[in-house]
Amino acid sequence: MTNKSTNSTGQVHHLRRMAVVWVIASIIGDILFSIFVAPHVPPGRLTETAAKDQTDFNILFEMALPVLFGVWIYLSYALYFWGDKRNSDVAFSGDAARSNMKTQVSWMVITSVTVLFLAGFGTWALVVDHGSGGGQGPNPAFTPSGSLKAETAALLGKATWSPGSKNILPVQVIGQQWKFTYRYPTFGGFESSQLYLPADTTIAFNVTSLDVIHSFWAYQLGVKADANPQVNDVAFTTTKDPGSFIVRCSELCGIWHGAMYNNGAVLSQSAFENWATTTEAANAANTALLPAFAWTYVPDANGAAGGYYPDGTLTPYSPSEVYGSKQPS
Amino acid sequence: MTISDERSTEVSGPVSGHPHNTRKLSWTQRPGLLSQNLLTAIVFGVIGYLIGHWFGNYLASGYSYIANSGQNSIANTLALAFGVVGWLGGIGALNYPFAKLFGVDGLEEESPVDNWSKYFRYSLDHKIVGLQYVVGVLLFMFTGGLLAMAIRTELLNPTTHIFSPDVYIKIVSEHGTIMMMMATSIIVGPLGNYFVPLMIGARRMAFPRIEALSFWIFTAGYMVIFSALPYGGFPTGWTGYAPLQTQAGPGMVSYLLGFAVIGLGMILAGFNQAVTIINYRAPGMTWSRVPVFVWSILATAALLTLATPVLFAGGLFGLLDKTVQTAFYVDEHGGSSYLWQNLFWFFGHPEVYIMALPGFGIAGELLPVFCRRPLFAYKVSAAGMIGVALLSFFVWQHHLFQSGINPDMRPLFMLTTELISIPTGFIYLVGMGTLYRAKIRFELPMLFVLALFFNFLIGGVTGVFLSDVPVNVTVHGGFFVLSHFHYTIMGGLLFAFMAGLYYWLPKMTGKMMNKKIGKVHFWLMFVFFNLTFFPMFIIGLLGQPRRVFTYATNLQGLNDFSSISAFILGFSFLVFFFNLVYSMWIKPEVAPANPWESLGLEWQTATPVPSYNFERIPVIMTEPYRYSEEGAPAFADFGPKDAPDSPTHTMA
């Protein structure tokens, strides 16, 4: 019994000292982080999505910092004061050292509450931000209003967008080894290797692939969606001011995966419209030869995935034999 | 005969290697080079390979990768599969099943000759298998580590390249695959096989032949995976995502078959461990007296047994796609590339806990020894491991948040993933509780355990970032996640493995590891591990995807810092290997019987451990870890020496 009373007073003493240091360090750490680091945390604030992703990251970090500090302070304290050279007491032992209901239960309650809060917060952020820029497959679960209408219109070739129209702009992203191309169904379905977007507009990226799995990562937009063959993976973002961004492939897709990137830009609405209509006209001859706009494309023998060569003879498949003069040379 | 009867009497079973055997030696028992050993395994393996390759070309010569090259998937698959069978036959793994098949009785597999050659044979002694595993995993680790050095060398400069992108991606893939497969066995294999029977007071594993088989399958699997490089490598990373897998060349067969082979070994090892722990505990070792290391191996065994079959099946589907043109993963023909992603990660996530749990077990086992006080919240630690093991089956789609699979399930997988940090947190409660008012001895194993707690904390906290879907959009598929899992696997598991080796090598070999060199090793490894991988969090946040041979030029500074640290980290392993050679052969120092003053059962028997482990099966008297407690009874009662039922007396 005497042993027990010294234990409990000892416990209060040590833990109180640690708690004071911990609270001070956590507050200072969080304040310094918020002022000096948080505004610069990737992916930046080029779009609504990116800004919200950045906020989520910062909130997680501000919660993580006290956890890290708590363990570090405890470990440092323990190693300093309870090393066998410095600590002249006998090591804490017996039943009291073996378990302590109060500590165990409070630990479990605190960790559970924290974790449930994080899961709830993450879900809330995911829902209100329409999937937070992540790929949501062909039937997105969390959508901005009007997206279904815009997507349907795009498929039927009836989508419209003009400066100030507030319409959602569907853009198709086609991954193939080893480049991304972009089709704009709103502008006759022309295909471009450049990605330009209008400012202050909600974009519905429709991401697909012609061969292997790629991942469309528009870093500063806060968008990442896997490009799967024969799957339309939809991701939403809402652009704000003009600015430039980089697109990288973030799923290993073969030899030149590392070199699969291009630059894109958010333009002012009028500049975008100007670019889109000009390019639509300039590319009209090529667009006519493209497959009709669709959410996914099955590569044929002449397509990106290649055909099977008959064994022994290395003569490639002849497209003109199969398709006649309709095919591009 | 009940199990407990068998425990106390059976010492002349297949494991004992008893000297009374006066029969003429059969050919399987001859000493040295004359019998089945590593050399015959290699010869039979090569013969099997050649037969398989011939047979495959005979069956399917018309489907070569390159016309008339003789390389086609069927030939490659059969060659490797026959090679594995030849390897197992050559080492002697098939003698017993075939003897049973043909009704031959009394086959003695164990050579009575007790010399170095036993380490190169098919041995049914769990201690020999344990040591074989030590060498096996170190070899595995060394290969993977060299590939890591190659990766960091390429990333020194974004524009000047050491390797072509083709070679680079194959190095990355091989590094990942080798390391992942090595890590599944790095503790369960060497330390689990060696110490679980000793720690539960058993004389052997439940299934000694399956134990030996799992080791020799593991080595075969290593060679199969490694054979990818001479075949030209595979470009898919360790994840092997499907359309790329279907598109890849001959090396892919090695990857798929290698997973199937190693998977088979993992299933066997796991189920053997589970049966041993459940059935072979000494009398008195109730579930609340089982050492935590054994708890961790039990939880791991459950994962090995239940998760690995999915990998096995996934690998076989891939092989069928590549050989007989099925279309499990081919979208154009009605398959789905999502199928592979689901199968792979359904295994892949429990897999990462297969790697983490034994590390927690070692930490829990070593802390009380070096804190000189009981383990805090023993039951919570066991519950934590079981909780992690259970939850790990329900989180796999968090690897696929951006893939377009099940968008409405993302909140659920975010929840389960974050829930898993609760039982993981138990391990920290136990660790920190045990440090409380302890008398910490800063011996080498303890330093590694403390480093584990430091590293795994960073790995765990960044895991929460990854599980948050909005944040995942930025950090998925980049260097952030790469750094995260190196912090958990290398910072957790590998540090635990080193702790375990420094702690238990004196028991396994009877020689102490040199403390001074060990400290140099520890500090180099700890500091440069963190300096290598911490910058990668920042590199990842700044937008560098994984597995790239080139990157944005503004990231060169951070990448170079990481690379140079990685080289020193690599050097720290050379220090370890030097220490191993120095302490074991150059200047061996005899280890005291119980150098760490542990109460653990494994330290209570003689060193070197006799083949029957314990003179008498101990009776467990009390809870483990009653350090610094006055008047605490001894953990186990070994009975009087030279009692009539000790194995030095012949039993009727």
Side-chain angles (χ1 to χ4, degrees):
Chain A
M1 285 314 285
T2 51
N3 207 7
K4 198 181 170 192
S5 67
T6 44
N7 288 347
S8 56
T9 54
Q11 181 179 354
V12 170
H13 191 61
H14 293 300
L15 293 181
R16 194 177 292 164
R17 276 202 261 175
M18 289 183 223
V20 171
V21 180
W22 173 66
V23 169
I24 296 171
S26 300
I27 292 173
I28 295 177
D30 272 350
I31 290 174
L32 290 179
F33 173 81
S34 315
I35 296 171
F36 294 109
V37 186
H40 311 291
V41 161
R45 307 186 80 81
L46 187 62
T47 62
E48 299 280 347
T49 324
K52 284 178 181 153
D53 290 354
Q54 186 198 56
T55 309
D56 291 344
F57 183 95
N58 291 342
I59 289 173
L60 283 187
F61 195 90
E62 278 158 13
M63 289 182 70
L65 209 54
V67 175
L68 293 171
F69 282 171
V71 177
W72 287 342
I73 288 167
Y74 187 94
L75 284 180
S76 321
Y77 188 96
L79 300 191
Y80 186 79
F81 288 103
W82 297 324
D84 64 341
K85 294 221 175 74
R86 192 176 296 268
N87 184 7
S88 54
D89 303 340
V90 179
F92 185 27
S93 190
D95 286 343
R98 203 167 285 131
S99 69
N100 181 326
M101 253 325 146
K102 221 168 87 185
T103 314
Q104 285 161 232
V105 171
S106 30
W107 179 279
M108 287 174 200
V109 170
I110 293 169
T111 52
S112 305
V113 167
T114 313
V115 158
L116 289 175
F117 167 77
L118 284 176
F121 172 70
T123 305
W124 173 80
L126 181 68
V127 173
V128 299
D129 196 24
H130 317 306
S132 295
Q136 302 199 62
N139 302 301
F142 314 114
T143 55
S145 64
S147 70
L148 186 63
K149 198 173 143 222
E151 294 269 277
T152 315
L155 197 57
L156 300 174
K158 292 176 181 168
T160 55
W161 182 91
S162 58
S165 69
K166 295 275 171 201
N167 286 355
I168 292 179
L169 181 75
V171 174
Q172 184 169 50
V173 179
I174 302 169
Q176 57 185 301
Q177 287 169 324
W178 286 275
K179 67 184 291 191
F180 288 111
T181 52
Y182 309 93
R183 286 191 83 170
Y184 289 80
T186 319
F187 297 91
F190 78 82
E191 186 168 14
S192 162
S193 57
Q194 290 153 313
L195 178 57
Y196 289 120
L197 302 170
D200 290 315
T201 304
T202 299
I203 315 287
F205 286 110
N206 292 263
V207 184
T208 188
S209 165
L210 298 181
D211 38 47
V212 303
I213 300 178
H214 306 271
S215 189
F216 170 69
W217 181 15
Y219 176 66
Q220 285 89 342
L221 304 185
V223 171
K224 187 176 283 162
D226 280 8
N228 297 277
Q230 293 174 53
V231 174
N232 181 30
D233 194 10
V234 181
F236 301 101
T237 186
T238 304
T239 56
K240 297 201 293 189
D241 300 325
S244 62
F245 57 88
I246 187 163
V247 173
R248 295 210 63 149
C249 176
S250 83
E251 185 56 68
L252 178 53
C253 55
I255 299 170
W256 292 99
H257 162 63
M260 188 169 166
Y261 59 88
N262 61 270
N263 292 296
V266 178
L267 307 174
S268 71
Q269 293 199 341
S270 53
F272 171 77
E273 194 191 32
N274 188 21
W275 172 79
T277 44
T278 319
T279 317
E280 182 184 357
N283 286 7
N286 287 339
T287 309
L289 296 170
L290 288 176
F293 182 82
W295 292 138
T296 63
Y297 304 94
V298 184
D300 59 27
N302 192 34
Y308 291 108
Y309 294 88
D311 180 62
T313 60
L314 289 176
T315 318
Y317 214 107
S318 165
S320 57
E321 268 176 38
V322 181
Y323 296 101
S325 56
K326 279 191 294 178
Q327 275 309 100
S329 56
Chain B
M1 206 197 239
T2 66
I3 286 174
S4 68
D5 284 343
E6 190 205 347
R7 263 206 295 255
S8 56
T9 57
E10 189 212 336
V11 287
S12 54
V15 282
S16 61
H18 251 278
H20 326 300
N21 194 345
T22 50
R23 272 177 297 171
K24 198 168 142 271
L25 297 183
S26 74
W27 67 279
T28 56
Q29 290 176 280
R30 281 182 222 123
L33 295 178
L34 300 173
S35 170
Q36 282 176 300
N37 54 35
L38 191 59
L39 282 179
T40 48
I42 293 170
V43 172
F44 277 49
V46 169
I47 293 172
Y49 177 90
L50 294 173
I51 293 174
H53 203 269
W54 168 81
F55 187 53
N57 268 319
Y58 178 75
L59 287 178
S61 56
Y63 303 95
S64 306
Y65 284 105
I66 298 167
N68 304 320
S69 68
Q71 295 290 349
N72 69 64
S73 293
I74 294 178
N76 290 348
T77 309
L78 289 181
L80 290 170
F82 279 44
V84 171
V85 174
W87 169 264
L88 293 176
I91 198 69
L94 305 179
N95 295 354
Y96 185 81
F98 273 103
K100 283 286 168 193
L101 191 65
F102 295 111
V104 179
D105 257 348
L107 178 85
E108 283 284 340
E109 291 146 289
E110 202 81 353
S111 170
V113 182
D114 187 20
N115 63 11
W116 56 270
S117 71
K118 67 186 174 189
Y119 295 107
F120 296 90
R121 291 161 170 277
Y122 188 73
S123 172
L124 304 186
D125 183 342
H126 69 91
K127 297 171 288 291
I128 294 174
V129 176
L131 278 170
Q132 287 172 331
Y133 255 119
V134 171
V135 177
V137 295
L138 286 178
L139 189 71
F140 223 142
M141 190 172 79
F142 193 67
T143 322
L146 282 179
L147 294 167
M149 295 297 105
I151 295 171
R152 287 316 317 177
T153 309
E154 167 65 37
L155 292 179
L156 276 170
N157 193 304
T159 46
T160 307
H161 299 296
I162 313 284
F163 304 109
S164 69
D166 181 34
V167 171
Y168 175 73
I169 203 64
K170 285 161 182 176
I171 290 173
V172 171
S173 304
E174 193 70 29
H175 163 76
T177 311
I178 281 197
M179 284 303 202
M180 282 295 184
M181 290 299 105
M182 175 278 291
T184 55
S185 298
I186 191 168
I187 288 177
V188 179
L191 304 173
N193 278 311
Y194 201 107
F195 288 104
V196 163
L198 288 174
M199 290 170 97
I200 62 173
R203 286 197 165 126
R204 60 174 170 98
M205 294 290 285
F207 304 111
R209 283 186 196 86
I210 285 182
E211 180 189 34
L213 182 65
S214 66
F215 171 72
W216 291 102
I217 288 182
F218 170 78
T219 47
Y222 167 68
M223 285 181 286
V224 172
I225 288 179
F226 200 72
S227 73
L229 284 185
Y231 273 133
F234 55 95
T236 61
W238 92 281
T239 46
Y241 277 5
L244 193 57
Q245 175 194 100
T246 319
Q247 189 191 62
M252 208 67 222
V253 168
S254 305
Y255 164 94
L256 291 164
L257 191 76
F259 266 5
V261 170
I262 283 209
L264 194 61
M266 285 158 68
I267 297 167
L268 293 174
F271 130 89
N272 194 10
Q273 289 283 4
V275 174
T276 308
I277 295 168
I278 292 170
N279 294 310
Y280 277 65
R281 280 167 296 131
M285 183 169 279
T286 58
W287 286 115
S288 58
R289 293 176 180 176
V290 173
V292 273
F293 178 65
V294 177
W295 268 116
S296 74
I297 297 291
L298 183 61
T300 310
L303 296 180
L304 284 169
T305 321
L306 296 174
T308 320
V310 180
L311 173 77
F312 184 77
L316 290 189
F317 290 168
L319 275 181
L320 289 175
D321 277 6
K322 286 202 88 69
T323 51
V324 296
Q325 310 297 316
T326 54
F328 288 101
Y329 306 137
V330 186
D331 300 82
E332 294 95 305
H333 301 151
S336 168
S337 52
Y338 281 156
L339 176 64
W340 168 264
Q341 292 185 322
N342 269 320
L343 290 176
F344 182 82
W345 287 116
F346 187 83
F347 153 79
H349 207 83
E351 150 90 349
V352 305
Y353 291 101
I354 289 171
M355 301 173 194
L357 286 171
F360 296 161
I362 286 188
E365 192 64 35
L366 267 53
L367 272 174
V369 180
F370 296 101
C371 287
R372 309 315 296 169
R373 52 153 290 169
L375 188 72
F376 180 72
Y378 166 90
K379 286 181 183 166
V380 173
S381 90
M385 291 176 199
I386 294 170
V388 167
L390 275 179
L391 275 174
S392 71
F393 283 101
F394 302 97
V395 299
W396 82 96
Q397 282 199 359
H398 68 208
H399 297 270
L400 307 169
F401 277 151
Q402 324 305 345
S403 70
I405 297 180
N406 290 353
D408 42 357
M409 294 288 270
R410 287 183 297 173
L412 176 75
F413 281 100
M414 171 159 43
L415 174 68
T416 52
T417 307
E418 287 175 4
L419 283 182
I420 217 165
S421 51
I422 299 174
T424 313
F426 288 4
I427 308 301
Y428 273 82
L429 171 70
V430 171
M432 288 160 69
T434 307
L435 287 169
Y436 184 71
R437 290 177 53 203
K439 269 178 98 69
I440 304 165
R441 293 179 180 172
F442 296 98
E443 298 286 351
L444 276 171
M446 184 64 177
L447 293 179
F448 280 99
V449 169
L450 291 168
L452 175 151
F453 278 103
F454 180 87
N455 298 336
F456 200 90
L457 180 70
I458 298 176
V461 165
T462 49
V464 175
F465 284 74
L466 283 155
S467 72
D468 186 271
V469 185
V471 174
N472 185 278
V473 170
T474 302
V475 292
H476 171 85
F479 264 54
F480 189 91
V481 64
L482 183 144
S483 183
H484 154 74
F485 69 74
H486 279 89
Y487 258 93
T488 53
I489 298 170
M490 189 171 181
L493 179 88
L494 213 54
F495 276 77
F497 175 63
M498 287 298 171
L501 275 189
Y502 277 105
Y503 181 72
W504 276 312
L505 271 177
K507 186 72 200 172
M508 300 167 99
T509 63
K511 294 162 198 162
M512 292 299 282
M513 289 289 275
N514 183 290
K515 200 172 164 179
K516 268 192 191 149
I517 308 175
K519 283 213 164 153
V520 174
H521 165 218
F522 169 77
W523 283 109
L524 282 179
M525 184 169 158
F526 176 64
V527 170
F528 287 96
F529 164 76
N530 278 288
L531 291 183
T532 303
F533 289 103
F534 198 82
M536 289 191 197
F537 284 122
I538 304 166
I539 294 173
L541 279 173
L542 291 176
Q544 185 169 325
R546 286 168 71 182
R547 298 150 165 174
V548 292
F549 62 93
T550 181
Y551 52 86
T553 43
N554 62 332
L555 296 178
Q556 191 183 355
L558 281 166
N559 271 298
D560 285 359
F561 186 85
S562 178
S563 285
I564 291 163
S565 305
F567 298 143
I568 306 177
L569 177 63
F571 173 74
S572 79
F573 282 86
L574 293 183
V575 175
F576 168 74
F577 284 114
F578 172 72
N579 194 2
L580 201 61
V581 174
Y582 181 84
S583 308
M584 295 298 144
W585 290 288
I586 297 177
K587 214 175 169 193
E589 185 195 326
V590 177
N594 190 352
W596 319 112
E597 299 181 88
S598 164
L599 297 177
L601 209 49
E602 76 273 23
W603 295 100
Q604 316 295 322
T605 181
T607 307
V609 185
S611 65
Y612 43 83
N613 289 357
F614 298 99
E615 289 266 308
R616 297 184 67 201
I617 294 292
V619 176
I620 309 303
M621 306 303 289
T622 181
E623 287 81 38
Y625 317 122
R626 297 183 76 167
Y627 291 93
S628 300
E629 192 176 328
E630 291 212 16
F635 181 51
D637 181 1
F638 290 88
K641 293 269 179 220
D642 295 325
D645 62 341
S646 79
T648 46
H649 293 252
T650 316
M651 283 301 296

